[in-house]
């Protein structure tokens, strides 16, 4: 299943235009979709004289002939050079990484376009990480590649990281950000072992997959692995879809001591996605029609919706976290600038008034629990999981 977060995020990011940042993305999208007339309309008068529709077409054709077709945006960097703002999109083409620099002037017009080779992204260790405090070793979870970070000081605590939607790697890499690597290193710097591994759908592109095959079976195997390594206090930490499923897994395994839910959706996922599309002003009628039919149980089970058959979405409803949280020790965290799992879901949890649930909302944090605006482009900014989130998780584990 490849859609929900990743496809909605990166396709919709390119149609969301109002600020300087969004004008730059809109211009880039015009190039990618070969809508050169649209790109011309976004250009300054000087730029129009220098770069006609025909010249733009020739440049883009030459770029794709040399480097292969455009595939995705990997990173966004913003450089201020008053009166100009330069947006540098590190972009993956089939055969190379290129920086596409788009200059916006004070009149909100595109005043420059430049292509240059880009360096492969190198992960930077967050300041809160103490690399001398732990070791990292390779491990397999049902033949899926993974890593286990183990504190040098003896500990009984261990955490399993459960991915959000999409074909995620073990680091839950989104743009230049590595959410799970940050969390693993942050927790292991605080004497907590962490197991993370590639998600099954990174390798298995199966529209007929179930949530048990996609997520649950591998988490249960990860629990066995940690138990066999003599960790007696095992916690599940789920992000987004992983947070939606984690309470169910904690109910069917007697070896789970507590759960940490980062941005857990609690409404039916089709409602959550429809809200995302509305926020992003994505008016894809075909997708919206299918989601509404899905919501009303009117879609045939074999009909494909966002990369998975309808029966996958129908099946997901059985795992709603509200059905499995009673009596569970749980830490539930939200970011106020999260446009994917929003305050609607946060308020539902708050209204439960369950004293065993510790619920917290972080100001200024996105769906990735990084500092950023409520915008898809925030995911393309190089950042790290906020240190206060790491500290809150450490505190919860130590208290339980």
């Amino acid at each position: 299943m490849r859609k929900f977060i990743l496809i909605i995020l990166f396709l919709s990011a390119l149609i969301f235009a109002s600020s300087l940042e969004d004008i730059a993305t809109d211009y880039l999208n015009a190039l990618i979709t070969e809508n050169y007339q649209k790109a011309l309309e976004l250009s300054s008068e000087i730029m129009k004289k220098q770069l006609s529709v025909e010249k733009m077409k020739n440049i883009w054709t030459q770029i794709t002939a040399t480097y292969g077709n455009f595939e995705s945006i990997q990173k966004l960097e913003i450089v201020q050079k008053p009166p100009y703002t330069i947006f540098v999109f590190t972009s993956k083409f089939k055969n190379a990484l290129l920086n596409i620099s788009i200059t916006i002037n004070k009149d909100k017009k595109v005043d420059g376009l430049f292509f240059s080779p880009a360096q492969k992204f190198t992960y930077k260790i967050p300041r809160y990480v103490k690399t001398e405090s732990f070791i990292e070793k390779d491990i397999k979870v049902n033949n899926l590649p993974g890593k286990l970070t183990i504190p040098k000081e003896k500990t009984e605590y261990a955490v399993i990281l459960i991915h959000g939607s999409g074909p995620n790697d073990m680091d839950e890499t989104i743009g230049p950000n590595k959410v799970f690597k940050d969390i693993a290193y942050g927790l292991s710097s605080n004497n907590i072992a962490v197991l993370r591994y590639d998600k099954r759908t990174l390798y298995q592109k199966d529209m007929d997959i179930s949530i048990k095959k996609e997520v649950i079976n591998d988490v249960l195997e990860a629990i066995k692995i940690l138990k066999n390594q003599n960790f007696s206090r095992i916690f599940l930490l789920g992000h987004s879809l992983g947070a939606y499923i984690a309470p169910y897994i904690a109910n069917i395994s007697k070896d789970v001591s507590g759960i940490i839910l980062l941005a857990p959706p609690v409404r039916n996922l089709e409602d959550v996605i429809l809200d995302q599309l509305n926020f992003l002003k994505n008016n894809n009628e075909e997708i919206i029609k299918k989601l509404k039919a899905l919501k009303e149980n009117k879609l045939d089970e074999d009909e494909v919706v966002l990369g998975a058959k309808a029966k996958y979405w129908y099946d997901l409803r059985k795992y709603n976290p509200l059905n499995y949280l009673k009596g569970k020790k749980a830490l539930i965290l939200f970011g106020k600038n999260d446009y994917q799992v929003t305050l609607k879901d946060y308020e539902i949890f708050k209204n439960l008034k369950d004293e065993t649930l510790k619920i917290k909302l972080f100001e200024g944090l996105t769906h990735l629990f990084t500092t950023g605006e409520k915008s898809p482009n925030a995911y393309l900014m190089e950042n790290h999981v906020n240190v206060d989130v790491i500290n809150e998780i450490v505190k919860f584990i130590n208290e339980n």
Side-chain angles (χ1 to χ4, degrees), residues 228-246:
N228 289 338
Q229 297 210 17
N230 298 317
F231 292 104
S232 59
R233 306 286 284 173
I234 299 171
F235 292 77
L236 303 181
L237 187 155
H239 178 219
S240 197
L241 176 68
Y244 185 88
I245 298 298

Side-chain angles (χ1 to χ4, degrees), residues 24-281:
T25 359
D26 209 26
Y27 183 86
L28 177 57
N29 186 49
L31 292 178
I32 293 166
T33 58
E34 300 180 8
N35 187 352
Y36 305 113
Q37 184 59 42
K38 174 66 175 177
L40 191 71
E41 292 168 6
L42 293 167
S43 302
S44 68
E45 292 305 315
I46 294 174
M47 187 73 166
K48 287 177 182 177
K49 292 176 182 177
Q50 294 177 341
L51 209 58
S52 65
V53 165
E54 191 61 32
K55 284 184 178 179
M56 269 190 274
K57 181 179 179 180
N58 290 340
I59 288 171
W60 190 255
T61 300
Q62 185 178 350
I63 289 290
T64 54
T66 304
Y67 301 106
N69 290 334
F70 172 89
E71 292 185 354
S72 64
I73 300 170
Q74 304 262 302
K75 179 182 173 183
L76 171 60
E77 185 177 358
I78 302 174
V79 181
Q80 297 291 346
K81 289 191 174 180
Y84 301 104
T85 305
I86 303 170
F87 298 87
V88 184
F89 296 90
T90 302
S91 303
K92 186 177 185 298
F93 289 76
K94 184 177 181 181
N95 303 320
L97 277 178
L98 289 182
N99 283 330
I100 304 175
S101 301
I102 298 172
T103 301
I104 310 293
N105 65 22
K106 60 183 176 60
D107 297 319
K108 297 187 176 182
K109 292 292 184 180
V110 175
D111 224 11
L113 173 66
F114 186 71
F115 297 85
S116 61
Q119 298 296 316
K120 191 173 181 180
F121 172 71
T122 302
Y123 176 76
K124 297 180 180 65
I125 303 290
R127 291 182 181 179
Y128 51 73
V129 169
K130 304 168 188 171
T131 52
E132 71 280 1
S133 301
F134 60 90
I135 60 171
E136 187 171 42
K137 71 175 187 177
D138 294 329
I139 200 163
K140 292 273 190 179
V141 177
N142 282 338
N143 294 318
L144 295 171
K147 301 275 187 185
L148 179 61
T149 48
I150 308 170
K152 292 180 179 177
E153 185 179 337
K154 186 173 175 58
T155 181
E156 61 181 333
Y157 297 114
V159 174
I160 297 166
L161 304 185
I162 311 174
H163 312 82
S165 297
N168 291 288
D169 63 17
M170 69 182 76
D171 296 331
E172 204 179 46
T173 302
I174 300 176
N177 300 293
K178 294 183 178 289
V179 177
F180 277 5
K181 193 168 187 174
D182 287 350
I183 293 172
Y185 283 11
L187 298 188
S188 290
S189 296
N190 287 276
N191 207 37
I192 299 164
V194 180
L195 175 57
R196 69 193 198 276
Y197 51 90
D198 290 342
K199 193 176 175 185
R200 185 152 302 279
T201 45
L202 189 63
Y203 308 97
Q204 184 178 340
K205 314 299 183 190
D206 183 1
M207 289 189 295
D208 208 20
I209 199 167
S210 67
I211 196 66
K212 287 187 177 179
K213 291 179 182 176
E214 182 190 14
V215 178
I216 295 170
N217 292 344
D218 295 323
V219 177
L220 292 174
E221 177 63 19
I223 293 170
K224 288 180 186 176
I225 290 169
L226 291 179
K227 190 178 177 184
N228 289 338
Q229 297 210 17
N230 298 317
F231 292 104
S232 59
R233 306 286 284 173
I234 299 171
F235 292 77
L236 303 181
L237 187 155
H239 178 219
S240 197
L241 176 68
Y244 185 88
I245 298 298
Y248 170 79
I249 302 172
N251 265 272
I252 62 174
S253 172
K254 65 182 186 327
D255 297 311
V256 176
S257 297
I259 49 179
I260 300 120
L261 310 181
L262 304 186
V266 69
R267 297 170 293 142
N268 288 346
L269 295 191
E270 52 267 35
D271 287 321
V272 175
I273 300 170
L274 282 167
D275 278 356
Q276 289 179 27
L277 293 172
N278 183 55
F279 173 80
L280 294 166
K281 300 178 183 175

Side-chain angles (χ1 to χ4, degrees), residues 280-304:
L280 294 166
K281 300 178 183 175
N282 184 329
N283 298 315
N284 188 312
E285 291 182 9
E286 182 183 355
I287 293 176
I288 292 170
K289 184 179 178 181
K290 280 190 175 183
L291 287 168
K292 287 182 176 179
L294 187 70
K295 180 179 174 181
E296 296 169 3
N297 301 313
K298 293 179 179 179
L299 217 56
D300 184 86
E301 285 195 345
D302 290 326
E303 184 81 25
V304 176

Side-chain angles (χ1 to χ4, degrees), residues 306-347:
L306 295 176
K309 289 188 176 181
K311 62 183 176 183
Y312 171 88
W313 302 97
Y314 290 141
D315 182 52
L316 270 178
R317 295 175 186 173
K318 296 187 296 189
Y319 302 98
N320 190 296
L322 294 184
N323 299 329
Y324 302 100
L325 277 172
K326 190 173 182 180
K328 290 285 178 291
K329 295 177 181 177
L331 174 65
I332 305 172
L333 305 181
F334 290 87
K336 197 169 184 180
N337 285 355
D338 186 346
Y339 72 86
Q340 291 186 255
V341 179
T342 66
L343 293 178
K344 287 184 181 180
D345 298 272
Y346 166 74
E347 292 296 343

